[in-house]
Amino acid sequence: MSTEAEEKIKAQEKYREMSIAEFFAKNKELAGFSNPTRALYQTIRELVENSLDATDTHNILPEIRISLKELEPATEDKPAKYEVAVEDNGIGVPPNEIANAFGKVLYSSKYVIRQTRGMYGLGIKAAILYSQMTTGQPVFIVSSMDSSENIYYRKLLIDIKKNEPIIIEEGQLIKKNNWHGTKVYLTLEGDWTRAKPKVIEYIKRIALISPYAEIIFETPDNEIFYFPRVTKKIPKPPSEAKPHPHGIDIEQLKSMISFTKTKTLLEFMTEEFQSIGEVTAKKFLESIGLDPNMNPKSLIEKGNSKLLQTLSAGLRTYKGFRPPRSEYLSPIGEELIEVGLKRLFNPEWVKAITRQAKAYEGHPFIVEAGIAYGGNIIPSEEPVLLRYANKIPLLYEEREDVSYKVVSSINWKIYNIEEPMPLVVLVHVASTKIPYKGVGKESLSEVSELESEIKNAVQEIARSLRLYISKKNSEHILREKIVTISKYIPEIARSLSILSIHPDKWGSNGKNIDKDLIEKLIKIVSKSVEFPKIDGKEEDPEKVVRSVIANVKLEQ
Amino acid sequence: MSHIDKIDIAARKKVAEIFYKKFMELNEEISKEKPPKLEIPMRTFANTEFDISKGILKLGIKKIERNFLNMNESKKFMQTLLMASIIYQALVENEYPTIRDLYYRGKHTILYKDLNGRLKEENTWEEQSESDASIRDVEVMLGLLREDMLILSKEKGKVVGNMRIRSGNDVIDLSKLGHGAYAIESTPDLIEFLDYDAEMVLVVEKDAVFQQLHRAGFWQKYKALLVTGAGQPDRATRRFVRRLHDELKLPVYILTDSDPYGWYIYSVFKVGSIQLSYESERLATPKAKFLGVSMSDIFGYGTKKAYLSEEERRNFIIKAKDLDIKRAKELTRYSWFKSKLWKREIDMFMDKKAKLEIEAMASKGLKFLAFQYIPEKIQTNDWIE
């Protein structure tokens, strides 16, 4: 969900006094639940992303099991009914939080900026609501924290009018092993046949970007997709950050003021925002003409909206703040991107890059890109583009995406890449606020800072690729040269052996090929060729020469 | 071979030694792991020179290196060595291969593996033109003619006259061959001149005219050695004529059609061909004289009366074609066609755009050709050099 959608939701709540859950239920397309196909895909996605957030973000190597079972086949007027079960080995949910975490929309304990896959777990509640609306079945949650001696389970529905969980069944079991994590069972209507390609593509892409995870997916067709863990390296989890003043809008500002425990505006500035010290805060407040000692709460009182607007505008435009800090971001890292691309495409060449952090409108972001070339990649007219935002694969609206704009405008010929090209381009954007284009969160806007970063990243790798290809080409030319010359070695040695017998010594035994001549010719040809170093390695010319004339019968 | 004659054996031994010496050098270079190369004089027009003092076309001093390690030359390098080895083998084993034989003996399939490890095949050569080129390479590289290397080609030239020669172990009297003639063998250097009674050599372009003059008894009456190359002369005929001139000190007259093609045949006897200029040193006869038929024979010039009447000209003259004109223009580029008399000849041709076959002179009467036209022209020095 984008902030835009959230605001819409909040606005609706305000004006029509409709519960947020009710609004959700009536506008399910906003959360990606527009039809049975999309709903199935979206449900699996929300559960998997929740599971990843519960594991890798907490330095746990994820083990995620997804199972999809058909409970009732489709009829003429009803789609088929499925049970989705997703289990992880994550941190688990505290027992007293389970009901609210899964049964109350917009339930969140604190307001912080952090790079997470989803936002405030909204998506999972949408999935539960969709399940409830299409099948009437409760969601079943089993969870245990590492420290807990019990395993807790809850069966619950959401009271749509009140936006509150209705607990149908709850209980706990004594934990006999050291399992921790969460398993969620959902029953919903869906269309597996139609959703299948996207779901599988999604799982593959998740596996690509999280090569440190073990992922098992059982389909209703009794197929099993198994992605073993290929590395134990986990990216540094994102830490929570205070917001940067440039990235705060008036609604968020109001919300922050209402939550804050600070007593003065000066204190509010230094406590609630990142990188603002007393000196900067004083200078800033002075520049917009606000009293550092005033109570921040007074700004949200009626009649003070002018002052609030002054503060809001000042926060967004004041030049004296330090740039947003990027250590709160968690890029995947070059190594993991390369490992992931290698695993999925077995390419001839792969390279990834993590760019330095940049910022747009006060939001730090990091662009990462990877290119895989050749090998098992099926050549096509344009590169295969894999888009990720905060480690989530984006599968829809490709042509709307800023990455598509960048990648499709690159003239690959100047990088020695000919059509059709066996090329995969991966772009990952990590940010505390991803600039999604629409409510569907499937494509990124053409923010100029972002666009130029993506371009720089892709072009930087493309330049390495060009170097590789040109070395490869020159290596290939040299190899062909060796073949062209070496194939005549036996014939030349044979002819010269005959010519080196003096007429007086001409005998029946004298016409054997001189093996020394062959060896000398092999040496001469080998010495004449020097292969370029590719990735620090170079081919041994003599090996190539010998392979050309290997198994060639030398005797006449 | 039931028996091998002495000249033959001596020639083989000498040539084989040249081969052995040259290729042992290459062998030693390879032993030192030096890049294998062959030095071959260039066989192109650019490297063809007209040696004014000798009056022949010669190969210039430009040489090319044929490097095994140059991928554009590797195959030719192999082919040259292959050809050399076959010729060498034939020399040592007392064989007389034809150029066709050499093509077949050397033609076989080379097996190798490509970059994908697949077994590939390639023939040492496909066309005879490739093996022929290799023969020429061996010739220029070693400074030997194929005749020296005892390579046979189809016999084309013929000779009759008062002369005895030894060919192999046989003595042949060139005056006792009836209506036939002695076919000039592929290895004219192995012919031994025993004795002769002749004062000149007459080479006629056309075999039919040769036969007519032979039957008319021309060579007996005028003490001539009568030779034909039957059109474009082969190397053996040219070498044979050269030897007659050099060793017997006989003047050589050449009788061809009156057209640029006939002139070129004369030119080949005289200075050599451009394609094969490397052989000229031994094949060309720079002192050969163009006896006719000349333009002035047809039309007269100055005080000289034409041999043909107005009516005969109307009947016998053929209109020159564009190709003839083009050839004539080409010939004017060569320095030996730039003499005063040749210029006059070619200018007349360009002017009249007329050509004449030598048969026309014969149809005026064989006796006219044999006993009037030819002797008269020789006696009055009416020839062009």
Side-chain angles (χ1 to χ4, degrees):
Chain A
M1 287 287 293
S2 70
T3 339
E4 215 178 301
E6 287 151 28
E7 273 158 26
K8 236 176 167 174
I9 294 161
K10 280 188 261 181
Q12 294 288 352
E13 181 182 38
K14 209 170 181 179
Y15 295 122
R16 293 171 56 193
E17 292 184 341
M18 182 199 272
S19 101
I20 220 146
E22 192 177 357
F23 173 78
F24 232 154
K26 290 191 175 163
N27 297 279
K28 46 189 188 287
E29 73 286 347
L30 283 182
F33 291 81
S34 46
N35 58 55
T37 306
R38 204 56 201 273
L40 195 53
Y41 163 75
Q42 197 68 28
T43 299
I44 291 170
R45 214 190 116 159
E46 296 293 354
L47 289 169
V48 168
E49 283 160 21
N50 253 23
S51 288
L52 283 167
D53 273 340
T55 46
D56 66 1
T57 325
H58 302 274
N59 246 324
I60 299 168
L61 287 167
E63 284 165 25
I64 296 171
R65 271 145 242 274
I66 309 143
S67 125
L68 185 60
K69 286 188 195 126
E70 190 187 86
L71 300 179
E72 282 171 28
T75 61
E76 264 179 40
D77 37 45
K78 262 192 129 187
K81 200 188 273 182
Y82 296 93
E83 182 195 75
V84 183
V86 176
E87 178 185 345
D88 62 58
N89 60 336
I91 51 166
V93 187
N96 54 342
E97 301 269 358
I98 296 175
N100 277 338
F102 288 88
K104 188 172 165 70
V105 180
L106 275 185
Y107 178 83
S108 63
S109 49
K110 48 187 165 173
Y111 202 105
V112 285
I113 302 292
R114 177 171 166 174
Q115 178 200 329
T116 50
R117 289 182 172 85
M119 278 281 227
Y120 323 120
L122 266 179
I124 178 68
K125 284 148 213 167
I128 293 167
L129 276 172
Y130 184 84
S131 147
Q132 187 174 318
M133 285 161 58
T134 54
T135 66
Q137 296 288 312
V139 57
F140 183 49
I141 302 128
V142 181
S143 190
S144 177
M145 297 173 76
D146 192 19
S147 55
S148 174
E149 287 173 1
N150 297 314
I151 296 173
Y152 300 89
Y153 62 88
R154 303 281 186 271
K155 244 184 207 178
L156 49 94
L157 290 167
I158 296 175
D159 183 328
I160 294 177
K161 290 277 181 217
K162 290 185 190 155
N163 185 20
E164 266 174 12
I166 307 164
I167 296 172
I168 308 290
E169 195 183 330
E170 63 182 325
Q172 63 194 67
L173 307 160
I174 293 166
K175 191 152 77 174
K176 288 189 175 131
N177 52 22
N178 51 10
W179 182 79
H180 57 89
T182 305
K183 185 167 185 179
V184 180
Y185 297 83
L186 269 177
T187 311
L188 77 158
E189 283 179 2
D191 186 341
W192 167 245
T193 315
R194 290 223 174 109
K196 185 176 180 179
K198 281 282 188 214
V199 171
I200 287 166
E201 184 63 25
Y202 172 80
I203 305 266
K204 275 187 186 169
R205 291 202 190 179
I206 275 285
L208 188 160
I209 210 74
S210 338
Y212 48 83
E214 180 191 83
I215 299 171
I216 300 172
F217 176 40
E218 287 174 68
T219 75
D221 310 325
N222 285 323
E223 285 170 293
I224 290 179
F225 289 84
Y226 175 54
F227 296 92
R229 177 176 297 130
V230 287
T231 174
K232 287 191 169 171
K233 202 183 142 135
I234 266 185
K236 176 188 76 75
S239 50
E240 294 174 354
K242 290 175 188 170
H244 188 276
H246 283 170
I248 290 298
D249 63 30
I250 197 154
E251 285 300 320
Q252 286 165 311
L253 182 61
K254 274 201 250 178
S255 170
M256 285 170 78
I257 290 171
S258 62
F259 273 98
T260 190
K261 291 187 177 78
T262 56
K263 299 292 181 222
T264 67
L265 203 48
L266 183 68
E267 214 184 324
F268 176 72
M269 287 303 299
T270 54
E271 285 296 306
E272 301 293 345
F273 292 97
Q274 58 171 264
S275 311
I276 299 180
E278 259 193 54
V279 180
T280 312
K282 273 183 184 158
K283 269 192 188 166
F284 165 65
L285 292 172
E286 193 184 329
S287 80
I288 56 168
L290 287 183
D291 178 6
N293 293 319
M294 77 182 287
N295 187 339
K297 300 271 187 203
S298 65
L299 285 171
I300 47 175
E301 284 162 13
K302 278 192 178 151
N304 276 347
S305 67
K306 272 255 167 66
L307 291 179
L308 184 71
Q309 270 170 20
T310 307
L311 178 61
S312 176
L315 285 172
R316 291 174 72 87
T317 54
Y318 185 66
K319 297 273 188 286
F321 300 128
R322 278 196 282 170
R325 290 166 61 178
S326 60
E327 56 261 42
Y328 306 113
L329 298 178
S330 165
I332 304 157
E334 295 169 359
E335 190 188 328
L336 287 181
I337 294 177
E338 288 174 9
V339 166
L341 285 169
K342 270 186 206 160
R343 189 249 293 268
L344 209 57
F345 297 100
N346 191 23
E348 181 189 321
W349 184 90
V350 67
K351 189 175 173 65
I353 182 176
T354 301
R355 299 276 303 177
Q356 292 291 318
K358 291 272 153 64
Y360 78 94
E361 294 170 12
H363 308 292
F365 70 93
I366 287 178
V367 166
E368 298 181 280
I371 290 183
Y373 171 82
N376 292 354
I377 300 167
I378 297 157
S380 61
E381 277 169 27
E382 52 180 19
V384 174
L385 175 62
L386 307 178
R387 296 170 297 132
Y388 292 89
N390 282 350
K391 300 176 191 165
I392 300 172
L394 306 180
L395 267 66
Y396 289 93
E397 299 172 14
E398 181 184 86
R399 278 164 196 256
E400 312 295 316
D401 197 285
V402 60
S403 299
Y404 180 81
K405 185 185 169 196
V406 169
V407 170
S408 63
S409 69
I410 289 175
N411 177 7
W412 294 99
K413 281 210 180 93
I414 66 170
Y415 297 103
N416 287 342
I417 299 161
E418 299 290 333
E419 274 184 42
M421 43 190 129
L423 197 65
V424 172
V425 177
L426 180 150
V427 177
H428 176 229
V429 179
S431 178
T432 48
K433 185 168 188 280
I434 299 282
Y436 286 114
K437 219 171 199 179
V439 290
K441 287 165 73 177
E442 288 289 353
S443 60
L444 272 51
S445 307
E446 286 156 24
V447 175
S448 64
E449 294 92 332
L450 185 60
E451 189 176 332
S452 84
E453 269 305 284
I454 293 173
K455 195 166 186 174
N456 289 340
V458 174
Q459 283 180 340
E460 189 174 335
I461 309 172
R463 279 193 292 273
S464 299
L465 178 55
R466 175 175 55 194
L467 190 66
Y468 169 79
I469 291 174
S470 76
K471 278 184 176 175
K472 198 80 193 162
N473 286 348
S474 68
E475 191 201 63
H476 187 75
I477 289 166
L478 286 174
R479 283 166 166 274
E480 285 191 328
K481 181 185 166 179
I482 290 184
V483 174
T484 308
I485 296 173
S486 306
K487 62 185 169 189
Y488 303 126
I489 289 178
E491 190 62 43
I492 286 169
R494 203 186 52 75
S495 297
L496 201 53
S497 300
I498 291 171
L499 287 160
S500 304
I501 305 164
H502 192 271
D504 296 344
K505 291 185 180 154
W506 201 265
S508 50
N509 61 336
K511 271 173 249 148
N512 281 335
I513 196 156
D514 184 346
K515 294 276 193 328
D516 284 351
L517 264 176
I518 291 203
E519 285 305 314
K520 291 286 181 191
L521 287 166
I522 289 173
K523 286 261 150 46
I524 291 167
V525 176
S526 309
K527 274 202 300 190
S528 74
V529 168
E530 203 178 317
F531 282 116
K533 270 201 174 133
I534 297 178
D535 298 335
K537 281 176 275 180
E538 60 201 300
E539 180 73 78
D540 176 13
E542 192 172 320
K543 230 176 81 192
V544 184
V545 176
R546 289 191 189 276
S547 74
V548 172
I549 57 172
N551 304 337
V552 173
K553 240 173 63 188
L554 298 177
E555 272 40 81
Q556 247 192 315
Chain B
M1 285 264 113
S2 55
H3 56 275
I4 311 293
D5 61 274
K6 281 185 211 156
I7 297 173
D8 186 307
I9 286 175
R12 284 175 188 281
K13 204 169 162 46
K14 199 180 116 206
V15 173
E17 286 286 349
I18 295 173
F19 270 76
Y20 177 77
K21 223 182 130 216
K22 188 79 183 176
F23 288 101
M24 274 312 281
E25 283 171 22
L26 177 65
N27 196 329
E28 276 158 26
E29 291 293 291
I30 292 173
S31 305
K32 289 178 203 153
E33 295 187 12
K34 288 189 179 158
K37 62 182 182 199
L38 299 170
E39 274 197 346
I40 301 175
M42 259 167 76
R43 286 193 281 109
T44 59
F45 183 69
N47 193 37
T48 304
E49 291 169 2
F50 183 61
D51 184 328
I52 298 169
S53 65
K54 288 182 179 163
I56 54 169
L57 274 177
K58 274 175 51 178
L59 269 190
I61 51 161
K62 284 181 207 146
K63 288 184 173 183
I64 52 157
E65 270 190 9
R66 180 154 295 163
N67 289 296
F68 172 52
L69 293 179
N70 179 336
M71 59 189 283
N72 299 321
E73 298 171 4
S74 304
K75 183 162 195 179
K76 283 210 163 155
F77 184 93
M78 176 277 291
Q79 287 176 331
T80 309
L81 272 179
L82 172 61
M83 180 52 80
S85 76
I86 305 165
I87 297 172
Y88 184 66
Q89 197 161 356
L91 280 169
V92 180
E93 295 184 351
N94 294 322
E95 291 181 69
Y96 295 91
T98 65
I99 56 173
R100 188 84 182 148
D101 289 338
L102 295 175
Y103 163 68
Y104 281 121
R105 285 185 196 187
K107 186 180 185 222
H108 56 257
T109 303
I110 288 173
L111 291 173
Y112 67 96
K113 282 193 174 162
D114 70 7
L115 289 176
N116 301 316
R118 281 189 294 253
L119 207 56
K120 293 267 191 172
E121 297 185 345
E122 181 180 314
N123 283 342
T124 46
W125 44 60
E126 297 292 344
E127 308 282 323
Q128 196 185 323
S129 60
E130 291 174 73
S131 64
D132 285 356
S134 297
I135 296 172
R136 287 197 286 275
D137 285 338
V138 173
E139 286 182 292
V140 293
M141 189 174 73
L142 300 177
L144 294 167
L145 294 186
R146 59 192 64 178
E147 291 79 8
D148 300 325
M149 303 187 284
L150 290 308
I151 295 165
L152 304 186
S153 42
K154 200 182 157 217
E155 290 163 348
K156 207 176 159 208
K158 294 192 289 190
V159 58
V160 283
N162 265 323
M163 184 179 192
R164 291 193 315 139
I165 59 167
R166 192 199 307 276
S167 172
N169 288 333
D170 298 322
V171 173
I172 296 155
D173 188 335
L174 301 185
S175 68
K176 297 202 159 45
L177 297 163
H179 289 147
Y182 177 70
I184 300 167
E185 61 184 76
S186 298
T187 52
D189 280 298
L190 301 188
I191 294 172
E192 190 186 343
F193 297 159
L194 295 174
D195 46 39
Y196 69 100
D197 180 17
E199 290 170 358
M200 65 163 166
V201 176
L202 180 68
V203 181
V204 293
E205 175 189 346
K206 288 187 166 163
D207 189 30
V209 178
F210 171 87
Q211 289 185 48
Q212 286 173 321
L213 291 175
H214 179 21
R215 285 172 194 245
F218 174 86
W219 56 268
Q220 283 106 331
K221 188 163 179 187
Y222 295 100
K223 293 200 171 176
L225 294 174
L226 190 61
V227 175
T228 183
Q232 185 71 252
D234 65 6
R235 303 153 54 107
T237 308
R238 288 159 59 202
R239 176 65 186 153
F240 185 73
V241 169
R242 163 72 176 266
R243 283 194 64 202
L244 291 177
H245 178 265
D246 276 11
E247 294 168 34
L248 308 183
K249 312 287 181 218
L250 295 176
V252 173
Y253 300 102
I254 300 194
L255 187 65
T256 72
D257 287 344
S258 182
D259 62 21
Y261 189 70
W263 302 339
Y264 185 68
I265 284 176
Y266 161 72
S267 169
V268 169
F269 273 109
K270 181 184 162 72
V271 295
S273 73
I274 289 156
Q275 276 182 329
L276 303 173
S277 59
Y278 63 92
E279 343 148 290
S280 298
E281 192 97 45
R282 311 196 50 219
L283 299 185
T285 310
K287 291 249 151 67
K289 298 164 172 58
F290 177 70
L291 192 65
V293 177
S294 66
M295 286 288 148
S296 59
D297 293 342
I298 304 168
F299 298 102
Y301 187 85
T303 53
K304 180 182 164 181
K305 234 186 105 211
Y307 280 97
L308 296 181
S309 68
E310 184 100 37
E311 193 193 340
E312 283 165 338
R313 279 203 288 270
R314 262 205 306 281
N315 290 338
F316 300 148
I317 280 176
I318 303 166
K319 205 177 168 314
K321 292 180 178 122
D322 290 349
L323 189 64
D324 295 315
I325 308 283
K326 202 181 144 219
R327 270 208 189 118
K329 276 185 187 157
E330 272 171 26
L331 291 180
T332 60
R333 295 211 322 257
Y334 302 131
S335 54
W336 56 98
F337 279 117
K338 281 177 179 159
S339 67
K340 200 180 135 202
L341 287 176
W342 269 116
K343 200 173 172 310
R344 189 180 83 189
E345 185 74 6
I346 296 170
D347 283 349
M348 274 179 84
F349 169 78
M350 293 297 218
D351 179 40
K352 306 279 186 190
K353 292 198 168 48
K355 56 181 191 173
L356 187 94
E357 285 190 289
I358 189 171
E359 282 92 334
M361 289 295 188
S363 39
K364 199 173 149 67
L366 185 57
K367 281 188 183 145
F368 165 75
L369 177 70
F371 304 122
Q372 187 186 335
Y373 175 75
I374 297 172
E376 201 173 291
K377 283 190 61 97
I378 293 171
Q379 271 156 29
T380 58
N381 288 343
D382 186 11
W383 37 258
I384 309 173
E385 203 174 65

